[in-house]
Amino acid sequence: MPKGLAFKTQADSREPQFHSFIITREDGSRTFGFSLTFFEEVTSKQICSAMQTLYHMHNAEYDILHTPPTNDKESCSSTGDCNGTSVSKLQRFNSYDISRDTLYVSKCICLITPMSFMKACKKVLEQLHQAVTSPQPPPLPLESYIYNILYEVPLPPAGRSLKFSGVYGPIICQRPSTSELPLFDFPVKEVFELLGVENVVQLFTCALLEFQILLYSQHYQRLMTVAETITALMFPFQWQHVYVPILPASLLHFLDAPVPYLMGLHSNGLDDRSKLELPQEANLCFVDVDNHFIELPEDLPQFPNKLEFIQEISEILMAFGIPPEGNLHCSESASKMKSLRACDLVSDKRNGNIAGSPLNSYELLKENETIARLQALVKRTGVSLEKTSSKKDLKIQCDEEEFKIYQLNIQIREVFANRFTQMFADYEVFVIQPSQDKESWFTNREQMQNFDKASFLSDQPEPYLPFLSRFLETQMFASFIDNKIMCHDEDDKDPVLRVFDSRVDKIRLLNVRTPTLRTSMYQKCTTIDEAEKSIELRLAKIDHTAVHPHLLDMKIGQGKYELGFFPKLQSDVLSTGPASNKWTKRNAPAQWRRKDRQKQHTEHLRLDNDQREKYIQEARNLGSTIRQPKLSNLSPSVIAQTNWKFVEGLLKECRNKTKRMLVEKMGREAVELGHGEVNITGVEENTLIASLCDLLERIWSHGLQVKQGKSALWSHLLHYLENRQRRTTSARLGSKELSCFDNTKRVFFFFSRHIQNISEIKTDVGKARAWVRLSMEKKLLSRHLKQLLSDHELTKKLYKRYAFLRCDDEKEQFLYHLLSFNAVDYFCFTNVFTTILIPYHILIVPSKKLGGSMFTANPWICISGELGETGVLQIPRNILEMTFECQNLGKLTTVQIGHDNSGLYAKWLVEYVMVRNEITGHTYKFPCGRWLGKGMDDGSLERILVGELLTCHTEADERQCRTPPLQQSPSMIRRFVTISPNNKPKLNTGQIQEAIGEAVNGIVKHFHKPEKERGSLTLLLCGESGLVSALEQVFQHGFKSPRLFKNVFIWDFLEKAQTYYETLEQNEMVPEENWQTRARNFCRFITAINNTPRNIGKDGKFQMLVCLGARDHLLHHWIALLADCPITAQMYEDIALIKDHTLVNSLIRVLQTLQEFNITLEASLVKGIDI
């Protein structure tokens, strides 16, 4: 009785209530309890009079506290809802009168078993209760039946069924074999009726991703049924964290635990969810079982193939007459599931769904001629096509309803198990077997990688990735893989793992495909019939029958029957088992319990003590605390000790997470040093950062005094900002001391306010996560959290003494671990919040020597990034600095800058352009060093500049200035008007070949990275050491010196070559067809680029040609063409690289390696060209 004694009168409902519970022992094994609570008449006059006295005292106290006004209606409105309820309760209870009413008190009988035979235990308890309430006494004293259960009824062996005698009838229990799904005896039907399919799948997803789960109901058995069902459906995985399906009221403070948990809380008649104070909700899945309602955590990924999965489950439910939306129609899921009605499923020909109605697959195909011919053929052979029910052939020993529960249970469980079998059919390929022996491997378990996550994820369909990337990070998956490594031999393999592996092997045999080719095609479960048949056979033919209850050697007067009263059992008779009978050797009490607990431990609950890494100690402490005799008198020292364990666990988890994230981010260099995996995908990085956000929420929720809002971190942040604003307002304005003191705080303040003002983020949890992501991107997470915790008075006000944030040493270590994130670059804010508006600051730096102040034209600029571009932005004349706002562009790649050539002095020499993201602080530099103007340099009025992100110290972020921090001068060689291309430093052929090799190699590496990890291809093509620059060196080598005061550009040479080939074609002097095609292509591209409306200059045109040639895999053809062109002989010296056939062939081979890659060019590079 979790709520203790209860008293009722004859006017109240006194129906017996059955519920089960679970006890987790220190070694991790579980024991199941089943109890039946009923009411017996109180015969003691003293208790009755004491109860009446209590009522009178309560009434008197109530009258003092609530003096009733003259009007009854006023009384109702003034006392409020809560008090109104109290009045009604008092009026009802006041009807108890010792002379008129009968008082009843609750009593409970309980059965403790090592395995969960719920149905059989419920029947045993109900028949025992029936024996004391029946007018006729039972055939034997109750001690005989209880003795029989304790000592003479064995557990059925695996794969067998057992019949034993209750008080009034036989009771049957059956146990699955070691090749079937583990024992589960709770009715799945009830869970789907209470919650509906969609809610069950969402709750199942939360459990798999190890969120905190709180079940809420006024029925203890419902809490237990939902918890056991969800954990059973996880096969072959197992819940690794705190598991308390029924949380006693005295242990409510355990909801404060900053660890994943699955707990059940009795609602105690409190229907209003808002009045339930929970310590944290950022990562909480709250399930109101009675009201068909589920509150999900934010950012919950969708379970793979969720719609098809729900549809398959719905078909099974409807076959048993259960509506998929459940029996309560008060939630949104009811309307969503209307499409899954039987008639719709029958007409759904697209995926061959069969409704769970009298219609079956045969009836749907009756009109098909081929089927008709097959039917005639099989009838001649004596086989029927009609769907036969095996139940007619076999006489089932249990009743019809019970058999249906067995059937539904196994069908639903098989469907759930099939999802994991399909998803992880190839998991063994990715298990990393340890090189050392198991013992030393386990000693260093935390430092070892046991599963190749990156390779596994790269092998999965895209829709699966959000869920799978997070699931692979869970403790249940890590323990599953550990188990696989530890039990490598078939003999010592865990039974559950053996069952799962055998199913995986079958899938491989059935699926004719290579293991690495994964598809998201949904494959239905095919093992239902076989599993059903096994249960049916056990229930039709009972394997064992236990000894019948018999008279015991009892003293005269013992076992006396008294109608309506459960007797005090004779302990001397029940304390010792039988001296000898046919079950003795198998069931000596101590050995029987110990042996079978071990069996249950390994076979059905999959608990491996060696593999419990995180929080198992908390679970054990919780389990032992629950079993303490005085639950209400938990000493502060016990609570403090438990919370200290939580603090240690959080710090350990923080250390492991930061190490994992850094190792993954650092990539191959770290692998070569013996750490971690080769690379990290974008999905996986996002998952790791999301899990860090979850950890921070749990740390900030630990030991909260009063919960405010769903995010404890954001709530703390708002309190801090409010306090600081109050202090700033009250302080004297202009105080030098204050401004100096607040310099660091000012950055924090504006940073946090900016997140607060982002309208696209609606929730507190979302804002907290955005704040963490932005802090990481700016490399300020540790510093900002330190700043937040620097207000010690606020921390003391918000948190209890034992809270993690008030443990100074652990807090310092925690901040130190987070400081290590500054060693790597994250774009976790930029890449996730893609739709928000971001202010960008532009600074254009013209040449100081060669003017800019006299510039008369109207300049413009266009900025492009990985997520989009700004379009043309007009820059006010003589303004070199401006800020504008636009949707997130992502990482910036190119800047197009130009002018309209108006005015008397339309010549502009730009050294470089700087663009700064005002939210993330990222500053990009776009070197130029070229003229923009007709008749200057190459005559360009616009240029495409390729930028790189500048790495600057975090201290620079604190500098409160309007312009971006000063940077080094551009490293690109500046080509002023006085410097012709020929005056550039001369490179020898070896250096040029090396440059070409490095440029091509950079592009090859780019495409060999996972797609989400690739950087900017534009930088590799057009950057300082890009392909364009390298080919420019090729064509400039040996270029003949131009006449005085005249520059000759590479583009001039290419135009002459074009004219030559066009003339050749007109004169029909073409050597060969292949050569002719190359020449035509070359001429077509040159013409198209010359006809573009853009004023990009000769060097800009050359850049465009190289980019288009790389895209269409034509560069090596053009190099061969130009090497044989007579124009080359005219314009190049004999030592030129382009005239050396050996070097040209080498260059062609290098460029041919780009043929296998699909190069996509950024829009800014090919704007105005339609080829």
Side-chain angles (χ1 to χ4, degrees):
M1 293 185 285
K3 287 170 69 180
L5 283 180
F7 289 90
K8 292 189 175 185
T9 66
Q10 79 280 356
D12 300 311
S13 169
R14 303 187 309 283
E15 285 297 312
Q17 294 294 322
F18 170 83
H19 84 268
S20 49
F21 57 92
I22 196 167
I23 299 169
T24 306
R25 299 181 182 276
E26 283 80 356
D27 65 352
S29 62
R30 293 172 181 175
T31 301
F32 291 86
F34 304 93
S35 71
L36 187 74
T37 306
F38 51 91
F39 285 84
E40 282 186 358
E41 186 180 338
V42 178
T43 53
S44 168
K45 297 293 180 187
Q46 286 178 313
I47 293 175
C48 292
S49 58
M51 185 59 70
Q52 189 165 11
T53 308
L54 275 173
Y55 280 127
H56 289 315
M57 287 169 64
H58 187 69
N59 285 343
E61 190 177 345
Y62 182 80
D63 291 340
I64 292 166
L65 292 171
H66 304 84
T67 308
T70 52
N71 192 337
D72 286 341
K73 286 181 182 176
E74 285 176 22
S75 168
C76 253
S77 60
S78 63
T79 55
D81 294 341
C82 188
N83 294 338
T85 310
S86 304
V87 171
S88 66
K89 282 183 179 177
L90 280 172
Q91 287 169 350
R92 193 181 72 206
F93 291 151
N94 283 342
S95 64
Y96 172 66
D97 188 321
I98 194 167
S99 58
R100 187 182 64 222
D101 296 318
T102 309
L103 187 67
Y104 293 88
V105 66
S106 59
K107 187 179 270 190
C108 175
I109 51 175
C110 181
L111 193 56
I112 306 290
T113 65
M115 297 180 75
S116 174
F117 291 104
M118 195 272 293
K119 297 187 194 77
C121 293
K122 185 179 181 182
K123 285 184 180 178
V124 168
L125 295 174
E126 284 175 344
Q127 291 191 25
L128 285 172
H129 177 252
Q130 188 186 344
V132 296
T133 53
S134 174
Q136 296 296 322
L140 296 168
L142 290 187
E143 282 84 351
S144 294
Y145 300 104
I146 294 168
Y147 183 91
N148 180 248
I149 288 289
L150 290 177
Y151 300 114
E152 297 173 333
V153 176
L155 280 174
R160 300 298 180 88
S161 53
L162 171 78
K163 182 194 283 188
F164 63 96
S165 301
V167 182
Y168 293 109
I171 298 169
I172 293 167
C173 59
Q174 58 91 27
R175 184 174 168 187
S177 70
T178 52
S179 61
E180 297 175 63
L181 291 178
L183 173 66
F184 175 73
D185 210 30
F186 288 82
V188 167
K189 171 186 177 182
E190 191 177 334
V191 178
F192 283 97
E193 283 179 334
L194 288 167
L195 295 174
V197 183
E198 189 161 335
N199 284 345
V200 170
V201 172
Q202 295 284 56
L203 171 57
F204 179 65
T205 308
C206 287
L208 288 170
L209 298 180
E210 296 182 340
F211 283 100
Q212 292 177 324
I213 297 172
L214 183 63
L215 308 175
Y216 191 65
S217 172
Q218 60 180 343
H219 303 280
Y220 291 114
Q221 184 57 16
R222 284 183 179 179
L223 293 174
M224 189 70 183
T225 302
V226 173
E228 282 292 290
T229 300
I230 291 300
T231 51
L233 293 176
M234 288 177 181
F235 171 90
F237 306 102
Q238 188 216 344
W239 182 259
Q240 295 287 321
H241 302 281
V242 177
Y243 181 69
V244 190
I246 299 174
L247 184 70
S250 57
L251 295 180
L252 202 61
H253 62 272
F254 273 101
L255 291 175
D256 194 18
V259 294
Y261 58 68
L262 202 168
M263 298 198 201
L265 186 64
H266 192 268
S267 62
N268 208 15
L270 184 70
D271 289 332
D272 190 356
R273 157 79 175 88
S274 60
K275 291 178 184 174
L276 181 68
E277 285 194 8
L278 299 171
Q280 61 162 321
E281 294 182 52
N283 303 310
L284 181 73
C285 173
F286 179 83
V287 185
D288 188 342
V289 179
D290 301 334
N291 293 316
H292 198 81
F293 170 75
I294 182 168
E295 199 172 290
L296 298 167
E298 290 191 20
D299 301 328
L300 181 70
Q302 189 162 290
F303 190 78
N305 295 114
K306 181 185 164 190
L307 290 177
E308 295 93 333
F309 185 39
I310 285 177
Q311 193 158 312
E312 186 177 8
I313 299 165
S314 302
E315 291 170 23
I316 293 171
L317 292 175
M318 287 189 292
F320 286 86
I322 302 164
E325 64 270 21
N327 278 341
L328 294 170
H329 303 276
C330 55
S331 78
E332 292 177 0
S333 61
S335 59
K336 287 179 187 174
M337 295 301 295
K338 281 178 183 173
S339 60
L340 291 171
R341 297 272 182 208
C343 55
D344 296 335
L345 289 169
V346 171
S347 62
D348 185 4
K349 297 174 186 176
R350 185 179 54 200
N351 49 16
N353 289 313
I354 309 304
S357 62
L359 288 168
N360 59 33
S361 54
Y362 167 67
E363 288 176 1
L364 289 172
L365 297 169
K366 255 182 181 173
E367 296 177 11
N368 188 300
E369 289 180 14
T370 310
I371 293 292
R373 285 200 299 272
L374 282 170
Q375 187 185 17
L377 177 67
V378 294
K379 273 185 179 177
R380 287 200 297 274
T381 60
V383 181
S384 172
L385 257 187
E386 299 291 344
K387 189 177 179 181
T388 58
S389 173
S390 53
K391 202 170 64 175
K392 291 173 184 175
D393 303 331
L394 297 168
K395 187 180 179 184
I396 304 299
Q397 299 286 324
C398 61
D399 61 65
E400 181 85 13
E401 193 58 38
E402 190 177 334
F403 181 63
K404 277 190 174 180
I405 290 172
Y406 277 123
Q407 281 184 311
L408 179 59
N409 271 16
I410 197 63
Q411 287 189 26
I412 294 289
R413 290 179 70 205
E414 286 289 343
V415 168
F416 273 80
N418 179 58
R419 294 313 316 128
F420 289 119
T421 313
Q422 298 287 350
M423 274 192 281
F424 293 97
D426 305 318
Y427 85 99
E428 286 181 88
V429 178
F430 303 98
V431 175
I432 302 168
Q433 292 295 341
S435 52
Q436 67 270 56
D437 62 281
K438 288 180 185 176
E439 194 172 327
S440 50
W441 173 82
F442 200 83
T443 310
N444 302 307
R445 170 65 194 89
E446 284 181 13
Q447 283 74 43
M448 305 302 292
Q449 292 290 340
N450 63 0
F451 192 75
D452 186 358
K453 294 171 186 171
S455 301
F456 179 79
L457 289 173
S458 67
D459 202 21
Q460 301 304 308
E462 188 74 25
Y464 288 16
L465 294 181
F467 171 81
L468 283 177
S469 60
R470 292 180 72 166
F471 181 65
L472 298 191
E473 296 298 322
T474 60
Q475 185 61 26
M476 72 173 73
F477 184 78
S479 295
F480 172 76
I481 299 298
D482 284 351
N483 201 5
K484 176 72 178 173
I485 292 170
M486 297 293 284
C487 308
H488 195 56
D489 301 326
E490 194 65 33
D491 297 334
D492 65 348
K493 192 181 280 187
D494 174 64
V496 171
L497 191 60
R498 194 183 297 126
V499 173
F500 184 70
D501 282 352
S502 68
R503 287 167 175 246
V504 162
D505 292 341
K506 283 181 185 174
I507 288 278
R508 283 184 187 152
L509 289 172
L510 290 170
N511 293 355
V512 186
R513 60 172 175 77
T514 57
T516 51
L517 291 176
R518 306 289 293 168
T519 68
S520 55
M521 188 176 73
Y522 190 81
Q523 292 171 305
K524 285 193 172 185
C525 181
T526 56
T527 55
I528 291 176
D529 291 341
E530 187 184 337
E532 261 190 335
K533 191 73 179 172
S534 301
I535 294 175
E536 203 173 332
L537 288 170
R538 282 196 292 274
L539 292 175
K541 181 179 179 294
I542 303 300
D543 298 298
H544 302 285
T545 304
V547 174
H548 286 271
H550 50 85
L551 271 173
L552 301 174
D553 187 11
M554 295 171 70
K555 295 172 186 175
I556 296 170
Q558 286 185 340
K560 188 179 177 184
Y561 169 75
E562 190 176 351
L563 178 62
F565 291 93
F566 198 89
K568 185 178 179 182
L569 299 172
Q570 305 303 313
S571 58
D572 57 334
V573 178
L574 298 176
S575 60
T576 53
S580 62
N581 64 41
K582 69 175 182 176
W583 298 107
T584 303
K585 288 180 183 176
R586 295 175 62 181
N587 293 310
Q591 292 172 355
W592 172 79
R593 285 192 179 88
R594 188 160 52 248
K595 184 179 176 185
D596 219 84
R597 192 180 301 139
Q598 287 166 355
K599 264 191 187 176
Q600 163 243 6
H601 177 62
T602 55
E603 283 183 26
H604 297 283
L605 293 178
R606 297 94 76 190
L607 295 171
D608 187 339
N609 298 328
D610 292 337
Q611 294 168 19
R612 294 182 165 274
E613 295 173 31
K614 290 172 22 180
Y615 310 125
I616 187 59
Q617 194 58 46
E618 285 83 351
R620 289 172 185 167
N621 285 344
L622 183 56
S624 58
T625 309
I626 289 170
R627 292 194 297 280
Q628 286 181 3
K630 295 185 179 178
L631 292 175
S632 56
N633 296 333
L634 284 170
S635 66
S637 62
V638 172
I639 295 172
Q641 187 183 0
T642 307
N643 277 289
W644 182 247
K645 298 283 185 189
F646 288 147
V647 168
E648 287 179 333
L650 286 169
L651 187 61
K652 181 182 175 185
E653 188 178 351
C654 178
R655 183 175 65 247
N656 291 341
K657 261 194 188 7
T658 49
K659 181 182 174 185
R660 167 84 199 281
M661 289 171 73
L662 286 170
V663 166
E664 294 286 18
K665 190 71 178 172
M666 287 173 177
R668 191 172 294 280
E669 293 83 359
V671 177
E672 287 166 0
L673 294 171
H675 306 287
E677 297 158 13
V678 175
N679 50 32
I680 177 168
T681 64
V683 172
E684 193 173 359
E685 180 181 308
N686 202 31
T687 300
L688 291 172
I689 291 168
S691 70
L692 177 70
C693 293
D694 293 344
L695 173 64
L696 293 176
E697 280 293 356
R698 283 192 273 128
I699 286 173
W700 255 258
S701 300
H702 183 239
L704 262 179
Q705 295 275 18
V706 180
K707 177 186 160 291
Q708 295 179 347
K710 286 197 171 184
S711 169
L713 175 58
W714 188 249
S715 175
H716 191 167
L717 197 68
L718 293 180
H719 276 107
Y720 177 85
L721 295 174
E722 193 181 321
N723 276 9
R724 188 187 173 282
Q725 206 161 16
R726 203 182 301 125
R727 286 175 198 165
T728 308
T729 309
S730 60
R732 288 199 308 271
L733 293 172
S735 165
K736 190 175 182 183
E737 185 185 348
L738 179 72
S739 63
C740 180
F741 177 73
D742 273 0
N743 191 33
T744 307
K745 294 182 180 177
R746 197 181 292 114
V747 178
F748 177 87
F749 180 80
F750 287 117
F751 176 94
S752 303
R753 284 291 182 216
H754 196 96
I755 292 290
Q756 200 175 359
N757 296 331
I758 295 176
S759 58
E760 289 86 352
I761 306 171
K762 309 292 183 189
T763 63
D764 287 355
V765 175
K767 286 177 179 174
R769 291 187 176 196
W771 188 89
V772 171
R773 285 175 177 274
L774 185 52
S775 298
M776 286 190 72
E777 192 159 323
K778 288 172 76 75
K779 301 188 178 183
L780 290 171
L781 181 60
S782 181
R783 183 181 300 177
H784 279 173
L785 292 178
K786 188 175 183 178
Q787 185 65 49
L788 181 61
L789 297 171
S790 64
D791 191 339
H792 300 297
E793 290 302 315
L794 177 63
T795 310
K796 283 180 183 177
K797 179 183 168 187
L798 294 177
Y799 290 92
K800 297 168 186 170
R801 181 64 197 89
Y802 61 75
F804 182 94
L805 297 178
R806 290 188 63 186
C807 300
D808 294 336
D809 289 346
E810 282 68 29
K811 184 175 70 180
E812 284 301 315
Q813 288 182 56
F814 158 69
L815 293 171
Y816 178 75
H817 288 313
L818 294 183
L819 191 62
S820 57
F821 286 133
N822 292 4
V824 290
D825 294 318
Y826 281 102
F827 287 87
C828 49
F829 181 87
T830 303
N831 292 339
V832 169
F833 297 97
T834 54
T835 59
I836 64 170
L837 289 175
I838 288 181
Y840 290 93
H841 188 83
I842 303 171
L843 175 67
I844 300 167
V845 180
S847 169
K848 292 175 184 176
K849 290 181 181 177
L850 295 165
S853 56
M854 297 164 61
F855 180 56
T856 57
N858 298 304
W860 57 265
I861 197 167
C862 175
I863 302 167
S864 301
E866 290 181 353
L867 300 176
E869 69 170 34
T870 59
V872 173
L873 300 169
Q874 296 297 333
I875 304 170
R877 199 179 298 168
N878 298 324
I879 298 292
L880 300 174
E881 210 174 330
M882 64 182 279
T883 302
F884 68 96
E885 201 173 57
C886 74
Q887 190 169 309
N888 186 0
L889 298 173
K891 294 179 194 173
L892 302 188
T893 51
T894 60
V895 158
Q896 299 162 64
I897 188 168
H899 62 78
D900 63 356
N901 200 37
S902 62
L904 295 173
Y905 191 77
K907 299 166 186 176
W908 199 21
L909 179 59
V910 178
E911 285 208 39
Y912 58 89
V913 177
M914 304 275 278
V915 183
R916 177 186 168 103
N917 180 322
E918 292 290 272
I919 292 183
T920 64
H922 290 316
T923 304
Y924 296 82
K925 185 175 183 179
F926 298 86
C928 179
R930 303 289 296 271
W931 280 100
L932 293 163
K934 290 284 185 186
M936 302 296 292
D937 202 342
D938 65 344
S940 175
L941 291 183
E942 66 175 274
R943 295 200 184 276
I944 300 166
L945 311 180
V946 179
E948 281 192 87
L949 177 66
L950 295 172
T951 53
C952 53
H953 299 291
T954 49
E955 284 76 18
D957 290 333
E958 293 178 17
R959 195 181 301 153
Q960 293 300 306
C961 59
R962 289 171 59 245
T963 60
L966 295 173
Q967 304 296 336
Q968 298 173 348
S969 58
S971 58
M972 178 183 276
I973 299 161
R974 285 182 287 178
R975 291 181 288 183
F976 298 134
V977 68
T978 54
I979 304 176
S980 77
N982 303 326
N983 299 129
K984 287 178 70 174
K986 301 285 184 184
L987 299 180
N988 61 39
T989 52
Q991 290 170 319
I992 292 171
Q993 282 182 298
E994 190 179 337
I996 286 282
E998 285 181 5
V1000 171
N1001 197 32
I1003 296 170
V1004 172
K1005 280 183 181 176
H1006 171 88
F1007 283 102
H1008 278 291
K1009 289 179 184 176
E1011 195 171 341
K1012 293 182 185 290
E1013 289 180 50
R1014 295 172 185 172
S1016 169
L1017 184 59
T1018 304
L1019 195 63
L1020 297 172
L1021 289 170
C1022 308
E1024 189 175 340
S1025 303
L1027 185 63
V1028 173
S1029 175
L1031 285 173
E1032 196 175 66
Q1033 296 287 347
V1034 169
F1035 284 104
Q1036 282 176 356
H1037 186 262
F1039 209 44
K1040 285 184 179 176
S1041 299
R1043 292 187 302 276
L1044 202 59
F1045 305 121
K1046 184 180 180 185
N1047 287 333
V1048 179
F1049 293 87
I1050 299 168
W1051 191 254
D1052 296 325
F1053 159 65
L1054 296 174
E1055 283 182 322
K1056 286 186 178 182
Q1058 177 206 8
T1059 307
Y1060 168 76
Y1061 287 122
E1062 283 178 344
T1063 309
L1064 248 157
E1065 194 168 350
Q1066 285 168 7
N1067 297 336
E1068 297 181 356
M1069 295 171 65
V1070 180
E1072 59 180 78
E1073 190 177 338
N1074 195 19
W1075 188 91
Q1076 183 184 358
T1077 307
R1078 292 176 189 178
R1080 278 180 184 168
N1081 269 332
F1082 175 73
C1083 296
R1084 185 165 58 93
F1085 275 83
I1086 296 283
T1087 306
I1089 292 169
N1090 274 328
N1091 291 338
T1092 178
R1094 295 172 70 184
N1095 294 299
I1096 53 175
K1098 291 179 179 178
D1099 282 348
K1101 289 175 181 178
F1102 175 73
Q1103 176 175 289
M1104 191 180 280
L1105 182 71
V1106 172
C1107 290
L1108 291 168
R1111 184 194 70 182
D1112 295 346
H1113 308 128
L1114 296 171
L1115 284 179
H1116 59 285
H1117 292 320
W1118 293 346
I1119 294 287
L1121 198 69
L1122 292 168
D1124 294 336
C1125 182
I1127 304 297
T1128 307
Q1130 296 171 21
M1131 298 186 72
Y1132 282 88
E1133 295 169 2
D1134 292 339
I1135 58 160
L1137 187 150
I1138 196 79
K1139 293 174 85 171
D1140 187 324
H1141 288 294
T1142 309
L1143 295 177
V1144 167
N1145 288 335
S1146 172
L1147 176 62
I1148 288 170
R1149 281 197 300 274
V1150 171
L1151 291 173
Q1152 278 177 329
T1153 57
L1154 298 178
Q1155 279 187 283
E1156 59 183 288
F1157 306 117
N1158 183 22
I1159 293 174
T1160 305
L1161 298 176
E1162 193 178 311
S1164 62
L1165 297 178
V1166 289
K1167 197 180 284 182
I1169 293 287
D1170 186 21
I1171 297 182

